[in-house]
């Protein structure tokens, strides 16, 4: 009898434990749902099941970054709202595009998340190999998984700079089953007019995020950024830089992930104070025109040189709308436009042609 009673008590305890675990899971799910802009591509259950795997932690990080940035932008532009568009890719995976258009403060701001998997096209694999990755395909096929958060913010006011950031993770399975993985990303600023104080604030915030991990990282990735965002046919950079890195696969997966997390968390503090400071500045029609011409340069870089854009356009089943989200709503190309010497316009051109050290 005593044993039967014990069995009954144990059964009850188990049922209660299962119930409370289910309730906890429900609460956690509700909280996550409120935290994100949309349900994650891999689904909350799947993410929870694999919560210790880096792939899941990276997906949660990019979802959180998307929501954090969207909320910070929406707070500054209360009249506008983000269109949230969840999409699926028939080859595997999908994404969430959040785009705000024609607000009071932002002409166009997009924050995209994508989590895709499948087989890498020969062309895309060739692009990677050209960067020194030796990838052994099985029957000409390479299974891959790629995820990232990417954003471009084009404000209306010419005194508020355009900002771009992107943080991504890539995994490829080779013919023998070994997995190659790497992270990439960066955050950079493209002002229409130069404001030294803003440039210093932006670079210092990114430097602090890098310094937490290794003081050698900021100078290395700042230079990489200046070299990468270079419009060769114009002989000028796209903006005043920031940080940029790719193919990062050491010292360890965990350490690189923590570094990427610090960089992603620095996005809001490095940019939002600059927007707040200038979004109500007055500007002239001439200043607006100069902004439109600088936007033209932005488009030139993105369509001619940007590796992410090229990779997206070469990936089968990729979503063209999301890839070209980085382009401004308006831009202008004027024949033979040259600003007068020693003007504010000539000042920014000087910095774009000869990058500066902003933190020392």
């Amino acid at each position: 009898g005593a044993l039967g009673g014990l069995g009954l008590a144990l059964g009850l305890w188990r049922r209660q434990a299962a119930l409370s675990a289910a309730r906890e899971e429900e609460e956690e799910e509700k909280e996550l749902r409120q935290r994100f802009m949309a349900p994650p591509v891999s689904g909350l259950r799947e993410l929870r099941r694999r919560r210790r795997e880096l792939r899941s932690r990276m997906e949660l990080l990019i979802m959180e970054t998307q929501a954090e940035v969207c909320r910070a932008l929406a707070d500054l532009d209360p009249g506008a709202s983000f269109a949230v568009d969840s999409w699926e890719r028939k080859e595997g995976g999908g994404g969430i595009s959040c785009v705000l258009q024609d607000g009071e403060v932002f002409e166009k701001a997009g924050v995209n998340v994508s989590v895709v998997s499948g087989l890498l096209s020969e062309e895309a694999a060739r692009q990677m190999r050209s960067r020194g990755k030796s990838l052994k395909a099985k029957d000409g096929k390479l299974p891959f998984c790629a995820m990232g958060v990417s954003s471009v913010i084009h404000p209306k006011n010419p005194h508020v700079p355009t900002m771009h950031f992107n943080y991504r993770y890539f995994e490829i399975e080779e013919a023998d089953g070994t997995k190659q993985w790497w992270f990439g990303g960066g955050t950079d600023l493209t002002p229409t007019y130069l404001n030294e104080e803003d440039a210093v604030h932006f670079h210092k915030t990114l430097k602090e995020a890098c310094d937490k991990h290794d003081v050698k990282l900021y100078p290395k990735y700042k230079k990489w950024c200046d070299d990468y965002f270079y419009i060769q046919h114009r002989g000028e950079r796209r903006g005043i830089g920031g940080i940029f890195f790719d193919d990062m696969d050491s010292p360890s997966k965990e350490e690189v992930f923590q570094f990427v997390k610090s960089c992603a968390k620095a996005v809001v503090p490095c940019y939002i104070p600059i927007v707040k400071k200038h979004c109500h500045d007055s500007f002239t029609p001439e200043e607006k025109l100069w902004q439109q011409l600088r936007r033209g340069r932005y488009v030139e870089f993105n369509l001619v040189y940007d590796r992410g854009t090229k990779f997206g356009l070469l990936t089968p089943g990729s979503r063209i709308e999301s890839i070209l989200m980085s382009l401004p709503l308006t831009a202008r190309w004027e024949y033979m436009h040259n600003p007068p010497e020693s003007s504010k316009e000539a000042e920014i051109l000087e910095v774009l042609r000869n990058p500066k050290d902003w933190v020392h």
Side-chain angles (χ1 to χ4, degrees), residues 89-149:
R89 178 176 172 269
K90 68 175 194 299
E91 291 83 356
I96 301 144
S97 299
C98 297
V99 181
L100 180 157
Q101 281 187 144
D102 252 338
E104 286 293 307
V105 175
F106 302 108
E107 186 178 284
K108 188 176 176 195
V111 193
N112 284 355
V113 152
S114 68
V115 180
V116 298
S117 56
L119 297 168
L120 209 54
S121 72
E122 275 299 312
E123 183 55 39
R126 200 174 303 128
Q127 227 197 338
M128 287 185 172
R129 285 200 184 94
S130 72
R131 309 208 307 262
K133 288 257 168 237
S134 64
L135 304 166
K136 297 179 280 294
K138 187 179 186 177
D139 309 322
K141 293 184 174 71
L142 280 163
F144 82 100
C145 144
M147 61 182 71
V149 56

Side-chain angles (χ1 to χ4, degrees), residues 317-337:
S318 59
R319 198 161 182 277
I320 303 305
E321 282 299 312
S322 298
I323 294 163
L324 299 182
M325 168 222 64
S326 65
L327 302 182
L329 212 50
T330 60
R332 189 178 169 107
W333 285 266
E334 250 182 49
Y335 187 69
M336 300 293 277
H337 184 279

